[in-house]
Structure formats: C-alpha cells, structure tokens
Amino acid sequence: MANFTTRSAEQLRSILQDAVVKCSERCLYQSAKWAAELLTSLRSPDPDDGSDTDPDSPMHSADPIPPSYPTVVTTNLEVTERRLEAQEQNKYLLAKSYFDCREYDRCAAVFLPSNLPRAPMSTSSPARNKHSSPTAQKGKAKASTNAAIPPRNTFPRLSQKALFLALYAKYMSGEKRKDEDSEMVLGPQDGGATVNKELVGLGRGLEGWFAERQREGKQEEYGQGWLEYLYGILLAKGKNEEEAKRWLIRSVHLYPYNWGAWLELSELLGSVEELNRVTPELPQNIMTLIFHMYASQELYQSTDQTHGQLTELESIFPDSQFLKTQRALLFYHSKDFDEAESIFSALTHHDPHRIDSLDHYSNILYVMSNRPKLAFLAQLATATDKFRPETCCVVGNYYSLKSEHEKAVMYFRRALTLDRSFLSAWTLMGHEYVEMKNTHAAIESYRRAVDVNRKDYRAWYGLGQTYEVLEMHYYALFYYQRAASLRPYDPKMWQALGACFNKMGKPVQSIKAHKRALVAGSYYDNAGSSFGSSSAAAIDSSTIPHSAIMDPETLYQIATMYEKLHDLDEAAAYMELTLAQEEGLPPSSGEPDDPDGARVAGHAGGVGVTATTSRARMWLAKYEFSRGGPAGLSRAMELANELCQDGVEVEEAKALIRDLRARMEG
C-alpha cells in the first residue's frame, strides 16, 4: 500500500461513510459499527498537502465547507429501484422504526403479507428443499411430480432495500422465537431439537425471487449484494456450505463493504487450504486484504505474512482498534502472552467502555494468573454493561481463577442465555465442568462449541481430555487429532496424542507423536512454551544439536516407549538427552564451568534438576549397572551419587550405591 495517496484516502473515506449509512439502513448494526470505527481510524490527510494556509487563519475558514453526508436514506442509481424506494419511503421508515424497537414481526408485516406461508420445522438447507412442497409429501410419485415445479417468486413488488429489511426481520423473528423455545441452557429443548422455523420458507422465497430475476436477465446487472448475503446466511444455517460460499462471494463482489458478509464467509472456511482456494475468487480491493488477514488469524496463522498484512493495514488505519485487537490475538495464538496483554491493556486504557473482545483479554489474564488485573477488568466490564456475553465471560474467568467453579458456570450460562452462539462461553463452561468432574455436561458444552465454530481447537482438545478421563481412548484419539490438525505447531496437542497412543498400547505411534511435539516446540521459540528452540532434526536423537533446549518430559516419554520396544540403546540415548536439558548450553559456549551450581540452576536455557531428569538419571544408573564392566559401573556410581546430592530418589540411589560397591569389591 505504498502508493496509498491522499486521493485514495479520500475515496476510501467516502466509501466507508456510504457503507455506514447503507448498513444502518438495513439494520446491520454490527457491520455499520465496524465500518464507522474503521472510518474514524483512517489516516488523516497529510497536513503538508501543498497549501500554505494556516488552519487557524481567517483565510482557511473561508474555504467551502464540504457537503454533509446523508444520515437517513441513500438513493439508488438504478431507475426502477430508485422509483420503488421513493414510493416506499414512508413505509420503509415505519418498518425500520419497528425493527429498531425489536418488533420484528411488525417490521416484516409492513411489506410482506401476514399470511405468507411459514415452512415446517426442518434442519435441511433451503437449496436442498427448493422443490419440496410446504406440506409433507408421501410416496415417490408425488415427490417426483413436485420436483418438476420451478421455484416461484411469492414476494410482492418491492425495492431490494425494503425486501431485505422485511426478510431480515422475519429471519430475526425466527431466531428470537428459537431462543425462546430453547428455554434453559443445556436443557431438554436446547440444541438441535429447536430450529428457526422461518429458514426454509425464506430460502424458498429468495430462490424464487432470484430465479425470476435470472429469467428477466437482471441477476448480475442490478444485484446489490444484500439479498445475496441473506441467502448465503440461510444456506449456511441449512448446512449447505458450498452453495453458501458461492452466494457470499457473489455478495462481496456486488457490495464489498458489508463486513457481515465477510464474517459469514470466514466462518465457512475450516483450513488454510480452503482460504487459499477462495482468495482468487474474491474482489481485488482493500476489503479482501482485511478479510485474508482476519481469516488467517481465525485459523491461528501467526506467521510473518499475517503480521506483514496487518502492518500494511495499520499504515492506512493507524488508530484502528479492530486491527490492534487482531495483532493481540496473533500474539495470543503464538503464546506471547506478555505482548498480547500489553496491547489489550493499551486498548482498554484508550477506550475503557469498549467491551468487544474482552473475553479474549480475560483468557490471557487467566493464563498469566494475573488475578488483580482480571478483578479490575471484571469490575470495569460490569460497570459498563453487565448484560453483555463478554462481561459474563470476564467475570466467569475471575471466579474460575479463584477456583469457585460453580459461580463461574453460573456466569458462563448467563452469557449463553444472552447469546447461544457465543463461542467462548461454551468452551470455558466445558473447562469448568471438567474441573467439577461433570463429564457429561463438559462433553455437551464442548460439542456445542464445535457446532458454533469447528475451528476452535480448545473445544476439540477438551473433548479429547474428557473422553480420556472416561478411558474411551479411541474417541479421545479422534478429537486430539482434530485439535492437532488445527494447531500443528502446538506441542501440547502432540503430547496429548502421544500419551493417548501410549495408553492404547501403540508405542511406535506414540514415539512419532512425541517427536512431532519436539519439533513443534521450536515454533514458539520460548514464547510462553514450556520448552525452547529446537530444530527439525530433533526427531533423531543422534542429530539433535547440543545447544537445543527441549522438554525433558517429552524426551523421557520417548525413551520409555523405546524401552517398551526393547530398544534399550535408543532409550538410553533419549535418557541422556533428557539429562542434558538440565544444563542447557554447554560450558564451551562461553560460560564458566560451575560444577557446584550448574546442575541446580542450569546454564543458559537449562531447566535445572527436575523430577523428570532425576527419573532419567536413575534409569541410566540402573542401565549402566546392568551393562556391567568397569566403565559402566563407574558411570552408574557417578549418576547414583548425583541423585543423592539432588535429594531426589535418595533411598533408591543409596541402595544402588550399596549394590555397586558390593559388585565392585566382589
């Protein structure tokens, strides 16, 4: 964006102003808020723009004042649409006022007949049911006859703006009624049994409307992107994801500045490969760059490319809180909690009334065990708006940190009562139920989290943990594999897989998984991970560099797996590697050799003496004892004496020393 000029900034400012008004007209308030915040964060024009007039001088005030931008309604360039909008203006203002008061049925009834048929309860997609009759069909002959009926437009002649508002109100009415029918969170009616009864009827109606416009040749020429966006939502709700992607891509081509359409498209992308397949089909403008950065962050791609895209966007929108939040989340995904916390702290200081993404901030403070700051954040959010899902999650995390799990669950349930699709609350509630040993409720909470967002690796990992507690290792393995596919560079995922393979009696697969954990440890490079930088060569004990610091527990587990396979030489090699992690960098790297304190505090990056390294030392001492020979017995004596000095496994070490002395003397 080096060629982003003042003229480009003015054009973008005008486009974003138009986006705020158009989204507000259609009651897409979150998209309007997003565009407005981006608008105010846009880089100000360069003061040195060639004018030598002082802004405070009288000459400057004589410049013409730019015309005010419309704040109520916008006009349409297409003649027919403009004429329809003019005829409907009074009705439109009435319908919008009803929507603003959350009277969705009244809003829809202004433009649509109240006897519009409501579809039967169904969870299938509108596209799949596009030829089905509103009444239940019986028999193959009847179904085949019905399949020949083309879709028909049942809507009255309305402008696209009025039709979108009416249909969107009907959709929101169905969502509201679904939440009311669901009753209590995790209750008997909560879940798949309760659906939005308007979905199929709206989908069938829109399909007929699009088919009629296609027959008239107006599909591409006069489309505005809003009805396409709504149809994409309906298809996604009906699990017809490929068609939903196609319509959402069409929507962002017709109107790129509706952020809601980009969000819906992002939710349908389950992997980086899918994102790369979709990207060439998107319009080439700044919104695609923002979308690609956001979707990469949602897919946990904390890479140099993603940070570079973010830096490029921040040069255009230097004060954007949205972009700063994305930066903080990237650091959070890479386990750089200090940097993420610093950005969130600055955002909260700049705008203390901002509730958006505070649930992520509270997660970071929870992981850092920063209880005072989490308590302050809970008070701040509660004082701003106690009935926001984010606020409830912040308070729930605070009680969880205090080990008051019942209170934490109460607040997470409150968050879900306010918004059943709030991902953080489902996942965090699952964690609390695990702490309370309520495995059934934990599994159901994690399943609901996956239903909301299948990219949430924490929910997949939580399901694996819960099934492992129930000793259902094949189920646990499946869920751990899903978590590892989403976070291939997180060693925790591979360690869980390795432990699961071990319990299933598959040592070879367990070794492979633990070696992947060693390689994954190098990704974070000491950023919050329990072990530091290693190379890809770590998968072979003979090629691991001496300066690499790895997780001793992972190395120890690999060694025990080789012991199960009766490969004692390889097991001994990994036990030696485990022992080497105490000191880290060898003295030859420039540090003085301190035999008294090195093994306690460790050299640069060393972990010092731990229970795991002491177990490895004991294993090696017994191994050398079993091998015999002067060198082996001498090495075993040295290791046993070190164990006595460490104060770990002392009694067993003393017994081994007695055996060694008896053997040497004999």
Side-chain angles (χ1 to χ4, degrees):
M1 294 290 174
N3 58 348
F4 193 78
T5 61
T6 303
R7 182 178 180 82
S8 301
E10 288 303 318
Q11 289 177 345
L12 184 56
R13 183 174 285 106
S14 176
I15 289 170
L16 287 173
Q17 287 173 343
D18 181 70
V20 173
V21 176
K22 285 185 174 176
C23 290
S24 297
E25 283 178 356
R26 291 158 179 84
C27 300
L28 300 173
Y29 298 122
Q30 293 299 321
S31 296
K33 182 179 80 169
W34 182 88
E37 288 180 347
L38 207 64
L39 172 65
T40 56
S41 67
L42 188 61
R43 190 177 65 198
S44 301
D46 188 356
D48 187 17
D49 58 355
S51 172
D52 56 359
T53 306
D54 185 0
D56 297 327
S57 69
M59 290 296 293
H60 187 273
S61 61
D63 292 341
I65 299 174
S68 60
Y69 207 80
T71 57
V72 181
V73 291
T74 55
T75 57
N76 200 295
L77 298 177
E78 204 270 314
V79 178
T80 306
E81 286 290 318
R82 186 165 65 243
R83 185 169 62 249
L84 287 171
E85 288 178 11
Q87 293 171 357
E88 299 160 353
Q89 183 167 355
N90 294 337
K91 280 188 171 185
Y92 160 77
L93 292 173
L94 175 65
K96 187 177 184 304
S97 66
Y98 286 151
F99 195 105
D100 292 340
C101 294
R102 299 187 180 182
E103 299 182 38
Y104 303 123
D105 288 321
R106 290 187 77 188
C107 173
V110 171
F111 291 114
L112 298 178
S114 57
N115 60 349
L116 192 70
R118 179 178 295 167
M121 183 184 297
S122 174
T123 57
S124 55
S125 73
R128 256 181 242 148
N129 290 282
K130 60 188 179 181
H131 300 312
S132 63
S133 173
T135 58
Q137 299 292 327
K138 295 181 181 179
K140 293 183 179 179
K142 202 167 189 178
S144 61
T145 304
N146 186 53
I149 302 174
R152 186 170 58 88
N153 180 18
T154 57
F155 300 139
R157 183 173 173 79
L158 297 169
S159 67
Q160 291 187 45
K161 182 165 73 174
L163 182 59
F164 175 86
L165 183 62
L167 295 179
Y168 186 55
K170 214 159 186 60
Y171 167 76
M172 291 299 295
S173 172
E175 288 291 299
K176 180 182 175 185
R177 199 170 289 112
K178 182 186 77 171
D179 288 342
E180 291 169 352
D181 293 342
S182 297
E183 298 175 356
M184 64 179 291
V185 175
L186 293 182
Q189 299 300 319
D190 191 23
T194 310
V195 296
N196 185 340
K197 299 177 184 178
E198 304 289 350
L199 288 181
V200 180
L202 289 173
R204 187 186 299 115
L206 272 174
E207 187 186 3
W209 188 86
F210 284 123
E212 182 180 274
R213 291 183 69 82
Q214 192 170 14
R215 288 193 294 270
E216 295 173 358
K218 298 180 180 179
Q219 181 80 3
E220 299 295 336
E221 187 178 355
Y222 299 119
Q224 297 177 8
W226 305 99
L227 289 169
E228 289 81 358
Y229 160 61
L230 181 57
Y231 192 41
I233 292 176
L234 298 175
L235 289 167
K237 289 281 185 182
K239 307 299 183 185
N240 194 347
E241 295 187 356
E242 290 305 315
E243 277 295 296
K245 286 180 194 175
R246 190 169 66 84
W247 282 92
L248 289 168
I249 290 171
R250 180 181 296 182
S251 172
V252 297
H253 270 282
L254 293 169
Y255 190 73
Y257 295 92
N258 173 18
W259 180 239
W262 295 102
L263 284 180
E264 292 291 336
L265 183 58
S266 174
E267 289 180 6
L268 296 174
L269 302 177
S271 65
V272 181
E273 291 74 20
E274 288 183 43
L275 174 61
N276 293 335
R277 283 199 299 269
V278 164
T279 301
E281 303 177 33
L282 300 174
Q284 299 303 306
N285 55 35
I286 194 170
M287 290 299 293
T288 296
L289 181 60
I290 296 174
F291 165 75
H292 195 279
M293 177 276 302
Y294 174 81
S296 298
Q297 180 275 122
E298 287 290 296
L299 291 165
Y300 314 110
Q301 297 301 301
S302 185
T303 61
D304 291 339
Q305 180 187 0
T306 310
H307 279 284
Q309 291 175 338
L310 197 47
T311 302
E312 197 174 356
L313 289 166
E314 284 180 327
S315 67
I316 302 170
F317 306 101
D319 300 322
S320 171
Q321 295 182 347
F322 167 76
L323 294 179
K324 289 177 181 177
T325 300
Q326 300 308 302
R327 177 85 71 184
L329 291 175
L330 286 174
F331 284 124
Y332 176 39
H333 297 328
S334 61
K335 297 191 177 184
D336 191 348
F337 300 123
D338 291 327
E339 194 66 35
E341 193 279 329
S342 175
I343 295 173
F344 271 120
S345 181
L347 284 171
T348 305
H349 183 268
H350 179 265
D351 187 357
H353 302 296
R354 183 175 184 266
I355 302 292
D356 298 341
S357 299
L358 281 192
D359 53 314
H360 296 298
Y361 186 19
S362 71
N363 289 341
I364 293 169
L365 295 175
Y366 180 92
V367 172
M368 297 174 71
S369 298
N370 193 336
R371 184 167 154 184
K373 207 157 193 174
L374 186 54
F376 168 75
L377 187 67
Q379 287 182 329
L380 183 67
T382 303
T384 303
D385 187 352
K386 65 170 63 177
F387 295 111
R388 279 277 295 270
E390 294 90 341
T391 300
C392 296
C393 283
V394 173
V395 179
N397 267 333
Y398 170 71
Y399 281 118
S400 179
L401 194 58
K402 289 178 66 180
S403 297
E404 297 183 25
H405 302 298
E406 291 81 4
K407 281 190 176 181
V409 166
M410 181 184 73
Y411 276 95
F412 293 139
R413 291 175 75 97
R414 184 178 296 178
L416 293 167
T417 302
L418 295 166
D419 183 0
R420 295 295 171 101
S421 63
F422 196 70
L423 174 66
S424 290
W426 284 117
T427 306
L428 294 172
M429 191 164 71
H431 295 342
E432 295 308 303
Y433 279 128
V434 169
E435 293 292 333
M436 296 164 64
K437 312 297 185 205
N438 188 344
T439 54
H440 176 75
I443 288 172
E444 188 59 29
S445 298
Y446 287 136
R447 286 192 188 282
R448 293 295 296 275
V450 169
D451 288 341
V452 172
N453 183 0
R454 62 179 178 231
K455 299 191 290 283
D456 183 18
Y457 76 95
R458 299 170 304 168
W460 292 112
Y461 182 80
L463 280 167
Q465 278 188 312
T466 310
Y467 277 111
E468 197 167 16
V469 168
L470 297 173
E471 298 186 358
M472 301 172 70
H473 300 302
Y474 282 96
Y475 284 90
L477 181 66
F478 170 77
Y479 293 119
Y480 281 144
Q481 286 173 332
R482 291 298 298 266
S485 68
L486 288 166
R487 295 272 289 181
Y489 296 110
D490 193 334
K492 189 178 177 183
M493 306 298 128
W494 295 106
Q495 288 166 345
L497 265 174
C500 196
F501 276 125
N502 182 22
K503 291 175 182 175
M504 294 167 65
K506 297 183 177 181
V508 175
Q509 289 86 342
S510 179
I511 289 170
K512 290 179 180 178
H514 278 107
K515 287 181 177 179
R516 282 294 300 268
L518 292 176
V519 177
S522 66
Y523 180 76
Y524 293 115
D525 194 23
N526 263 339
S529 182
S530 59
F531 40 97
S533 210
S534 65
S535 67
I539 60 174
D540 185 354
S541 63
S542 63
T543 56
I544 295 179
H546 291 294
S547 60
I549 308 301
M550 292 163 287
D551 180 38
E553 183 62 33
T554 304
L555 291 168
Y556 183 80
Q557 292 299 327
I558 294 174
T560 56
M561 292 302 104
Y562 276 118
E563 185 182 15
K564 286 185 178 181
L565 293 171
H566 306 292
D567 189 348
L568 295 182
D569 291 338
E570 196 68 19
Y574 273 95
M575 288 295 182
E576 291 285 2
L577 278 172
T578 306
L579 213 57
Q581 307 314 306
E582 286 184 343
E583 299 186 7
L585 298 178
S588 61
S589 63
E591 293 197 14
D593 188 7
D594 178 12
D596 296 326
R599 287 201 312 108
V600 177
H603 285 276
V607 299
V609 176
T610 66
T612 301
T613 58
S614 294
R615 288 199 304 271
R617 184 173 278 108
M618 176 58 74
W619 190 96
L620 282 169
K622 291 179 178 178
Y623 173 71
E624 295 293 349
F625 178 74
S626 65
R627 288 178 65 188
L633 295 177
S634 175
R635 171 69 171 153
M637 181 66 77
E638 178 189 349
L639 291 168
N641 284 325
E642 287 176 357
L643 280 167
C644 292
Q645 294 173 12
D646 293 341
V648 183
E649 308 280 357
V650 175
E651 294 303 321
E652 195 173 354
K654 286 181 178 178
L656 182 60
I657 289 173
R658 286 194 296 270
D659 292 341
L660 282 165
R661 284 175 179 168
R663 188 164 178 180
M664 287 176 175
E665 292 170 359

Short mmCIF file of all heavy atoms in Angstrom, two decimals, residues 266-270 294 298-300 421 423-424 426-427 446-460 486:
data_model
loop_
_atom_site.label_atom_id
_atom_site.label_comp_id
_atom_site.label_asym_id
_atom_site.label_seq_id
_atom_site.Cartn_x
_atom_site.Cartn_y
_atom_site.Cartn_z
N SER A 266 -15.89 -16.19 6.40
CA SER A 266 -14.79 -16.67 7.23
C SER A 266 -15.19 -17.88 8.07
O SER A 266 -14.41 -18.82 8.24
CB SER A 266 -14.27 -15.55 8.14
OG SER A 266 -13.31 -16.02 9.04
N GLU A 267 -16.42 -17.86 8.59
CA GLU A 267 -16.87 -18.97 9.43
C GLU A 267 -17.00 -20.28 8.65
O GLU A 267 -16.97 -21.36 9.24
CB GLU A 267 -18.21 -18.62 10.07
CG GLU A 267 -18.10 -17.54 11.15
CD GLU A 267 -19.43 -17.21 11.77
OE1 GLU A 267 -20.42 -17.90 11.43
OE2 GLU A 267 -19.51 -16.26 12.57
N LEU A 268 -17.14 -20.17 7.33
CA LEU A 268 -17.28 -21.38 6.50
C LEU A 268 -15.95 -21.98 6.08
O LEU A 268 -15.92 -23.04 5.46
CB LEU A 268 -18.10 -21.05 5.25
CG LEU A 268 -19.56 -20.61 5.49
CD1 LEU A 268 -20.20 -20.18 4.18
CD2 LEU A 268 -20.36 -21.74 6.13
N LEU A 269 -14.85 -21.30 6.39
CA LEU A 269 -13.52 -21.78 6.00
C LEU A 269 -12.90 -22.55 7.16
O LEU A 269 -12.67 -22.00 8.23
CB LEU A 269 -12.63 -20.60 5.61
CG LEU A 269 -13.15 -19.71 4.47
CD1 LEU A 269 -12.21 -18.55 4.22
CD2 LEU A 269 -13.35 -20.53 3.20
N GLY A 270 -12.63 -23.83 6.94
CA GLY A 270 -12.13 -24.67 8.02
C GLY A 270 -10.64 -24.90 8.01
O GLY A 270 -10.10 -25.49 8.94
N TYR A 294 -7.84 -11.33 8.63
CA TYR A 294 -8.74 -11.78 9.70
C TYR A 294 -8.93 -13.30 9.66
O TYR A 294 -8.86 -13.97 10.70
CB TYR A 294 -10.09 -11.07 9.56
CG TYR A 294 -11.14 -11.58 10.53
CD1 TYR A 294 -11.17 -11.14 11.84
CD2 TYR A 294 -12.10 -12.50 10.13
CE1 TYR A 294 -12.12 -11.60 12.73
CE2 TYR A 294 -13.06 -12.98 11.01
CZ TYR A 294 -13.06 -12.52 12.31
OH TYR A 294 -14.00 -12.99 13.20
N GLU A 298 -8.05 -16.16 12.44
CA GLU A 298 -9.03 -17.12 12.94
C GLU A 298 -8.55 -18.56 12.76
O GLU A 298 -8.98 -19.45 13.49
CB GLU A 298 -10.36 -16.92 12.20
CG GLU A 298 -11.12 -15.67 12.61
CD GLU A 298 -11.69 -15.78 14.02
OE1 GLU A 298 -12.55 -16.63 14.26
OE2 GLU A 298 -11.24 -14.99 14.89
N LEU A 299 -7.66 -18.77 11.80
CA LEU A 299 -7.10 -20.10 11.57
C LEU A 299 -5.76 -20.27 12.28
O LEU A 299 -5.00 -21.18 11.96
CB LEU A 299 -6.93 -20.34 10.06
CG LEU A 299 -8.25 -20.49 9.27
CD1 LEU A 299 -8.00 -20.36 7.78
CD2 LEU A 299 -8.92 -21.82 9.58
N TYR A 300 -5.46 -19.37 13.21
CA TYR A 300 -4.26 -19.45 14.08
C TYR A 300 -2.97 -19.36 13.28
O TYR A 300 -1.96 -19.94 13.66
CB TYR A 300 -4.28 -20.74 14.91
CG TYR A 300 -5.61 -21.02 15.55
CD1 TYR A 300 -6.42 -22.07 15.12
CD2 TYR A 300 -6.10 -20.22 16.59
CE1 TYR A 300 -7.66 -22.31 15.70
CE2 TYR A 300 -7.33 -20.46 17.17
CZ TYR A 300 -8.10 -21.51 16.72
OH TYR A 300 -9.33 -21.74 17.29
N SER A 421 -24.88 -18.42 20.61
CA SER A 421 -23.78 -18.69 19.67
C SER A 421 -22.46 -18.09 20.13
O SER A 421 -21.53 -17.96 19.34
CB SER A 421 -24.13 -18.14 18.28
OG SER A 421 -24.27 -16.74 18.32
N LEU A 423 -19.13 -18.32 21.37
CA LEU A 423 -18.22 -19.46 21.41
C LEU A 423 -17.46 -19.57 22.72
O LEU A 423 -17.37 -20.66 23.32
CB LEU A 423 -17.23 -19.35 20.24
CG LEU A 423 -16.11 -20.38 20.22
CD1 LEU A 423 -16.66 -21.77 20.00
CD2 LEU A 423 -15.10 -20.03 19.13
N SER A 424 -16.88 -18.47 23.19
CA SER A 424 -16.02 -18.53 24.38
C SER A 424 -16.75 -19.13 25.57
O SER A 424 -16.17 -19.90 26.34
CB SER A 424 -15.51 -17.13 24.73
OG SER A 424 -14.59 -16.67 23.77
N TRP A 426 -19.23 -21.35 25.70
CA TRP A 426 -19.38 -22.80 25.61
C TRP A 426 -18.08 -23.51 25.98
O TRP A 426 -18.07 -24.48 26.76
CB TRP A 426 -19.80 -23.21 24.20
CG TRP A 426 -21.23 -22.96 23.86
CD1 TRP A 426 -21.70 -22.12 22.89
CD2 TRP A 426 -22.38 -23.56 24.46
NE1 TRP A 426 -23.07 -22.15 22.86
CE2 TRP A 426 -23.53 -23.04 23.80
CE3 TRP A 426 -22.58 -24.48 25.48
CZ2 TRP A 426 -24.82 -23.41 24.13
CZ3 TRP A 426 -23.87 -24.85 25.82
CH2 TRP A 426 -24.97 -24.32 25.15
N THR A 427 -16.97 -23.03 25.41
CA THR A 427 -15.68 -23.68 25.68
C THR A 427 -15.28 -23.55 27.14
O THR A 427 -14.86 -24.52 27.78
CB THR A 427 -14.59 -23.07 24.77
OG1 THR A 427 -15.02 -23.14 23.40
CG2 THR A 427 -13.29 -23.82 24.91
N TYR A 446 -18.62 -28.79 25.10
CA TYR A 446 -17.61 -28.77 24.05
C TYR A 446 -18.23 -29.06 22.68
O TYR A 446 -17.83 -28.46 21.67
CB TYR A 446 -16.53 -29.82 24.35
CG TYR A 446 -15.60 -29.45 25.48
CD1 TYR A 446 -15.25 -30.40 26.45
CD2 TYR A 446 -15.06 -28.18 25.59
CE1 TYR A 446 -14.38 -30.08 27.49
CE2 TYR A 446 -14.20 -27.85 26.62
CZ TYR A 446 -13.87 -28.80 27.57
OH TYR A 446 -13.02 -28.48 28.59
N ARG A 447 -19.20 -29.96 22.63
CA ARG A 447 -19.87 -30.26 21.35
C ARG A 447 -20.59 -29.02 20.82
O ARG A 447 -20.58 -28.75 19.61
CB ARG A 447 -20.86 -31.42 21.52
CG ARG A 447 -20.21 -32.77 21.67
CD ARG A 447 -21.25 -33.88 21.53
NE ARG A 447 -20.68 -35.19 21.84
CZ ARG A 447 -19.92 -35.89 21.02
NH1 ARG A 447 -19.62 -35.40 19.84
NH2 ARG A 447 -19.45 -37.07 21.38
N ARG A 448 -21.24 -28.29 21.71
CA ARG A 448 -21.92 -27.07 21.28
C ARG A 448 -20.92 -26.03 20.79
O ARG A 448 -21.20 -25.28 19.85
CB ARG A 448 -22.77 -26.52 22.42
CG ARG A 448 -23.94 -27.41 22.83
CD ARG A 448 -24.97 -27.54 21.70
NE ARG A 448 -25.58 -26.26 21.41
CZ ARG A 448 -26.63 -25.75 22.06
NH1 ARG A 448 -27.19 -26.47 23.02
NH2 ARG A 448 -27.13 -24.58 21.75
N ALA A 449 -19.75 -25.98 21.44
CA ALA A 449 -18.71 -25.05 20.98
C ALA A 449 -18.25 -25.40 19.57
O ALA A 449 -18.06 -24.52 18.72
CB ALA A 449 -17.52 -25.08 21.95
N VAL A 450 -18.08 -26.68 19.30
CA VAL A 450 -17.66 -27.13 17.97
C VAL A 450 -18.76 -26.85 16.94
O VAL A 450 -18.47 -26.50 15.79
CB VAL A 450 -17.31 -28.63 18.01
CG1 VAL A 450 -17.14 -29.19 16.61
CG2 VAL A 450 -16.05 -28.85 18.82
N ASP A 451 -20.03 -26.98 17.35
CA ASP A 451 -21.13 -26.65 16.45
C ASP A 451 -21.10 -25.17 16.06
O ASP A 451 -21.40 -24.81 14.92
CB ASP A 451 -22.48 -26.98 17.10
CG ASP A 451 -22.72 -28.49 17.19
OD1 ASP A 451 -22.05 -29.22 16.44
OD2 ASP A 451 -23.56 -28.90 18.01
N VAL A 452 -20.76 -24.32 17.02
CA VAL A 452 -20.70 -22.88 16.75
C VAL A 452 -19.52 -22.56 15.86
O VAL A 452 -19.62 -21.78 14.91
CB VAL A 452 -20.62 -22.08 18.07
CG1 VAL A 452 -20.37 -20.60 17.80
CG2 VAL A 452 -21.90 -22.25 18.87
N ASN A 453 -18.36 -23.14 16.16
CA ASN A 453 -17.15 -22.86 15.39
C ASN A 453 -16.26 -24.10 15.39
O ASN A 453 -15.63 -24.41 16.39
CB ASN A 453 -16.40 -21.66 15.99
CG ASN A 453 -15.17 -21.29 15.17
OD1 ASN A 453 -14.86 -21.91 14.16
ND2 ASN A 453 -14.46 -20.27 15.61
N ARG A 454 -16.22 -24.78 14.28
CA ARG A 454 -15.45 -26.03 14.21
C ARG A 454 -13.94 -25.78 14.20
O ARG A 454 -13.15 -26.71 14.21
CB ARG A 454 -15.86 -26.81 12.97
CG ARG A 454 -15.58 -26.10 11.68
CD ARG A 454 -15.97 -26.91 10.47
NE ARG A 454 -15.73 -26.19 9.24
CZ ARG A 454 -16.62 -26.03 8.29
NH1 ARG A 454 -17.83 -26.54 8.44
NH2 ARG A 454 -16.34 -25.36 7.20
N LYS A 455 -13.52 -24.50 14.16
CA LYS A 455 -12.09 -24.17 14.18
C LYS A 455 -11.57 -23.98 15.60
O LYS A 455 -10.39 -23.67 15.78
CB LYS A 455 -11.83 -22.90 13.36
CG LYS A 455 -12.20 -22.99 11.90
CD LYS A 455 -11.68 -21.82 11.11
CE LYS A 455 -12.38 -20.53 11.42
NZ LYS A 455 -13.70 -20.43 10.80
N ASP A 456 -12.42 -24.16 16.60
CA ASP A 456 -11.99 -23.94 17.98
C ASP A 456 -11.23 -25.16 18.49
O ASP A 456 -11.83 -26.14 18.93
CB ASP A 456 -13.21 -23.64 18.86
CG ASP A 456 -12.81 -23.32 20.29
OD1 ASP A 456 -11.63 -23.01 20.51
OD2 ASP A 456 -13.67 -23.40 21.18
N TYR A 457 -9.92 -25.09 18.42
CA TYR A 457 -9.11 -26.25 18.81
C TYR A 457 -9.25 -26.55 20.30
O TYR A 457 -9.09 -27.69 20.74
CB TYR A 457 -7.63 -26.00 18.47
CG TYR A 457 -6.93 -25.05 19.42
CD1 TYR A 457 -6.21 -25.52 20.50
CD2 TYR A 457 -6.99 -23.67 19.22
CE1 TYR A 457 -5.56 -24.67 21.37
CE2 TYR A 457 -6.35 -22.81 20.08
CZ TYR A 457 -5.64 -23.30 21.15
OH TYR A 457 -5.01 -22.45 22.02
N ARG A 458 -9.57 -25.52 21.11
CA ARG A 458 -9.71 -25.75 22.56
C ARG A 458 -10.87 -26.69 22.86
O ARG A 458 -10.79 -27.53 23.77
CB ARG A 458 -9.92 -24.42 23.28
CG ARG A 458 -8.77 -23.44 23.12
CD ARG A 458 -9.15 -22.07 23.65
NE ARG A 458 -10.36 -21.58 23.00
CZ ARG A 458 -11.06 -20.53 23.42
NH1 ARG A 458 -10.69 -19.89 24.51
NH2 ARG A 458 -12.14 -20.14 22.77
N ALA A 459 -11.94 -26.58 22.09
CA ALA A 459 -13.09 -27.46 22.30
C ALA A 459 -12.76 -28.89 21.88
O ALA A 459 -13.11 -29.86 22.56
CB ALA A 459 -14.30 -26.94 21.52
N TRP A 460 -12.07 -29.05 20.73
CA TRP A 460 -11.66 -30.39 20.30
C TRP A 460 -10.73 -31.02 21.34
O TRP A 460 -10.86 -32.20 21.68
CB TRP A 460 -10.96 -30.33 18.94
CG TRP A 460 -11.83 -29.95 17.80
CD1 TRP A 460 -11.78 -28.80 17.07
CD2 TRP A 460 -12.89 -30.73 17.22
NE1 TRP A 460 -12.73 -28.81 16.08
CE2 TRP A 460 -13.43 -29.98 16.14
CE3 TRP A 460 -13.43 -31.97 17.51
CZ2 TRP A 460 -14.47 -30.45 15.37
CZ3 TRP A 460 -14.48 -32.44 16.73
CH2 TRP A 460 -14.99 -31.68 15.67
N LEU A 486 -5.65 -28.51 13.65
CA LEU A 486 -5.88 -27.07 13.71
C LEU A 486 -4.67 -26.33 14.26
O LEU A 486 -4.42 -25.18 13.90
CB LEU A 486 -7.11 -26.77 14.58
CG LEU A 486 -8.46 -27.13 13.98
CD1 LEU A 486 -9.55 -27.12 15.04
CD2 LEU A 486 -8.81 -26.17 12.85
#
